[in-house]
Each structure stands twice: as C-alpha cells, then as structure tokens.
Amino acid sequence: MTLSEAAIREHYRRAKPIYEALATVKNYPTIGLNDFVGWYIKRDHDDVEAIKAGYPQRGRVARLDRDYDEIHDRLDRTLYAVTTYKTPTAFQQWEPCRYDESEGTTVWQDEPPTPGYADLRAVPTWGDIDLADDIKPQRGDLDGETRALVERTLDAYIEEYATLYGSRDAVYALDSVGGAYVFGAPEATLPIADHFSDDPDALQRVFDEFLDRSNAWLQEAEARVNERADGAGDVIQPDWVNNKNRQYKPPLSVHADHDAVVTPIATDDVRYELRPFETVDDTLIKQAVRWADDLTRVEHTDCVDSLIATLWPDLYEDHDGWRTTLEAWVEGERERERERQRQREAALQRREERLAELDGTLEGRPVTPFKEDVYEAVENIDITEIARHYASDTYDTDPNQPRPQFDPCWRHSESGQSCFVDEQANTFGDSKVNAGGGPAKLMALATGIISDADADLDGEDYWAAVDELRNAGYDIPVWVPEAGLDRVDGGTYDQMPFWAVRKAAVALEVCPEDAFVDREGEDGTYEGFPGYETYNETLEAIEDAGLNHGREQVTPEEDTADDESESALDAPPNDEQPGDLDRAHLREKNRLLTAKVERLESELEEKSERIRELETEVNQLRSELATVRSERDRL
C-alpha cells in the first residue's frame, strides 16, 4: 500500500458524484462514514445542563449526501456507506456527548442516536460474498482456473437473489476487492414501510424479522450453491451479516489492504477483475455513477410480493398476498407476546402469594421454587465480565467503537471485531449471524453448550448454561419445584420431584454432588442418595428453607429393604421417571464435555496450522537471509 494522503483525497473528490447518486432511495437517506469509525457529526451546543454534566458536544449520525464534505475531510483511506435507507428524521436526532481521549471513543449522555428498525424504509437483502482466506492475498494475481470458478460461484449467488426477488434485474453486485457484495433492490421494501407507516411497532417487528429471515435464507442459498457449483465452497465463504446499520464499501472506495478500488459487476455477465487504484479514470467514475443510479432508482417495488412469499412461505400460502401475510404475522407475534406476559404475570402472582405465606423467608436462599428467581439472577449478571473473561480471545479490540468489540472464542473472526457488548442493555451481539442474547447465552457459547449465536438456548441447554454460570462463581439460586406447583406438562406436583430433592441436597450443602451412588430402578441405573440419613437430612433442610417437599422421611428398615424392591428412599411417585431424568442430566454433562473437547481440538488444529505456516515463513526468511548474506560477503 503506497497511496499518499493527497492522492486519496483527490480520488474521493473526483468520486463525489457517485456518492451523491447513492445517498438516497426516493427521499430516504443512508449513513456515510470514514474508515469504519466516523459514524457521527458533532457540534458544540449551549445546553447548560448537559455541559455541566460533562457533555460539551452533541452528535447525530452522518448523512452520506449532506455531510459528504466533512466525511471527506476526515477520511484516511476507506469510505463506507450503510446498506439500509432511513427516514430523514433519524438524521435529526442530536444527543449530548463527549470524546474520551484515553479510550478513543465517544461517550453519550444517554443512548447513541443510531437509527433503529422502525426508522428503516428501503432495505435490501445483502451479502458479503468473501473470498476464502487463503486466496484473498492472491487478489490481482488469481490464476485463470480460480478466477473462472469465482465467477461461476458469484453468478450462482446472483441467481439465488434473482429467485428471492423474482427478477434478475432487481439484483446488483460490486467487486469489493476481497470478495463481492450482492444486493437486492432496496426499494422493494418501500411498500412495507408505506403499509405500516402508522404503526411503528409493526414496522420495527417486520423489518427486524425481514433481515433475520433474509440472512437465514441466504445461508440456505449458500448450501445450494456449494452443492450446485463444484468447488464453490473452496473459493467463496460468504458472511451473511446484514442488519439495520451494516457498513459496506461503496463503488470506488479504496480497499484497506490493497491499492485497489471497489467496482460494479454486471450481473448478466459476471467478470471478476481487480481494478488497481491508478487505473481509475473518468469512464470508470461514470460507470460507477450509473450503477449507483440503478441501485437507488425506484422501479422494483413489485418484488415485495416475491420477497414475502419466499421468506414467509407457510403464512403466505394461507393468506391472500404479502399485506395480509405480514399483518397476520405481526398479530401472531403480538399474541404470543401477550401470552408470555400473561404467563409471567401469573407466575409472579403465584410467587407473591407463596412469599406472603412464608413471610418472605425465601429471600437470599440458595434454593427457590420459582424459575423467575433464576431468570432474574441470570439477567442481573454483568455480561461484560462474561465477555471479557470467558467468551473472548481478545476483548475491546477496537476502542474507537461506541460499544466494546471482542474476538469470539467460539468461532474464527478475521477482524476480531464482529462481536460486541451492549453494556446498557446487558446483551451481546454477533454481527456474523445478526444474533445475540444475554448472559446465559454468552456463557453457553463460551463453554461449548451451543456453537452459534443464532442457535436457540432453551430446555436442558439453558439450565446447563446456568450451571456453568454457577461454576464461574455467580450467585444463582437453584430451582427446585415444590409440591403444589404447576408442571410443564400440565397438572401439579404431588411432591417435590426426586431430581429436585437431589439438587436441593447439593445447593443446601447437605450432600456433595460426587457423593451420590448408583442405584437400580425400574428404568435402569440412576444416582441415588448414599443413605437414608442424608436423604432425611435433605428433607429437613428443604423444610428449613421454607419449601414444601410433600415427602415422607425414610426409616432404617425401609433403607435396608431387599435390593430387588424399591425402597422409599429411591422410589419416585408414579408420574415421575427419575432414571430418565438422571440420564438426561448425565447426557447434558456428556454433551457439554464433548462440545468442549471438539472446541479445544478445533483450536488446537487452528493453532497447529498457524505454527506450520510460521515455520514455513521462518524457513523462507532463513533462506532469503542466507542468500543476502552470501551476496554481501561476495561484495
């Protein structure tokens, strides 16, 4: 990379007409930023209260069109735009802020003024169709066979987009130097924005879901392309990470690692040829302006029907057109939310009534009959601690970002910045899959319980993650349902389940987890108490904790009953299957350990590969050094 500051500034001055053409769809603008970090326009202000609080400036997001000159003046090398187009009011939201010199970040008095899903209007499906890591450095010197395979693969992806939109004319592509970008027509979602213009909540739900579903659909498209085009997966490894504010390099933006520029790709005749910086001329600039005009022209709004039919196929079959499909989906989501709220309120009511009966004696106890107590304790854990100490290979990898970025431990991240923590919401996000979650999910990823951030964390996986949080030292009560509480499968517990008694024994420090012994039941071997004294002591401890177990203590005679008959110590009620439950817990532990083994093996393989690469480089350097020394000695 040899470009001077003057050459780069002159280049972007000449390219300005491209970004003027690209800046709006209809009257909806997009964000422009310099060098991946310049999100905001800042000004001094006269809000006395904010100044006294230590926020002497105010800021808003930068518009690619109206703020281009300021963006240009602070550019070092690479210009970025954002894939989505927003309502103009999103660019008029000013918030008090200050710049932290020591951290190199902007600190906001309240929330940063970045647009949300309800601000979206023109939203393309978009994909970063990356070259495989091992051939990226060869860009500009790809052999003919590899380039032909890349072109066939890109054409296959463009065809997938054409299927999604119902027209190849509604698909656009750019050579991003390190790969390619493919866009669906942004204006196809304008009818959605118009239809829900009076319902911001519905608009937010639909656009959030639209981006999630389009990313998921494109992941499936990747599998289809790799099956259809032999070798495609060896040269192209897409990154399906479109979201409400996803950056990309627009036409003629200078690549960060190559003295080359982003250029349009003709979707009807795919050619993948690098364009060096020094070859940029007026003809190429005009070509890029035409591409930007085509992308932002409003002519494919009718593609909305194909989009919704493809992304919401089951609902679409049952409804007449995209409008009623989305209306039905929104109402279904709202009803599910209302039902969840009703369930939460009913559970909280039962909890309050039970606590009133117990005169509040459950507070601070290591066991609880209410799942809500577990959920609350988990959600109150500081997620930054988990990200810093358990879930990241490197934490805070870009201090210029408003949210801490980190290199995730559960997958490879080339930039080391594709995951972030939202400290105010106490959540994390993974930009690669446009997903995230709270403390339990992040710990599940860190410990191998799940392997992808877009995977659901529920059932046994959730409780395994809670156990990992406890193992890490976090104070979370153990859920042990007492007699009289509702069962998940209907009805109520006649008595505390046997597995819950065991958990209570460990939580109340009556019996260590490794002290349980194998016993034989009707359904096979399971873990039982070491003796009747421990079992009885556990029941007493449960009573002391204020919980109703509904069980009878065991006598010595019952404990020494014939091995062929079940003693009261081990006998479950008729509606329970402790053998199955205990085996489920064992399977859970086994799965966790297996996932850890797989993750460690993967990390070992990656590091071993890196060692081999470094050994090769060292040998090359030694050879070069010997040659140079020989030449020096000869001279």
Side-chain angles (χ1 to χ4, degrees), residues 212-272:
D212 283 347
R213 287 181 181 240
S214 64
N215 288 334
W217 190 89
L218 289 169
Q219 288 176 359
E220 296 169 359
E222 179 182 350
R224 292 192 292 270
V225 168
N226 289 341
E227 183 176 351
R228 197 163 63 240
D230 187 33
D234 297 329
V235 295
I236 293 291
Q237 295 172 354
D239 202 2
W240 309 116
V241 294
N242 197 20
N243 55 50
K244 59 187 175 184
N245 291 308
R246 183 59 163 90
Q247 306 104 307
Y248 74 100
K249 297 185 291 292
L252 267 61
S253 182
V254 182
H255 194 273
D257 299 321
H258 297 274
D259 286 342
V261 297
V262 176
T263 51
I265 293 175
T267 55
D268 58 350
D269 184 21
V270 176
R271 294 288 182 268
Y272 194 61

Side-chain angles (χ1 to χ4, degrees), residues 324-338:
T324 52
T325 296
L326 292 182
E327 288 169 357
W329 179 82
V330 168
E331 183 52 36
E333 287 298 297
R334 286 171 171 166
E335 178 55 36
R336 278 187 285 274
E337 195 170 275
R338 288 191 290 267

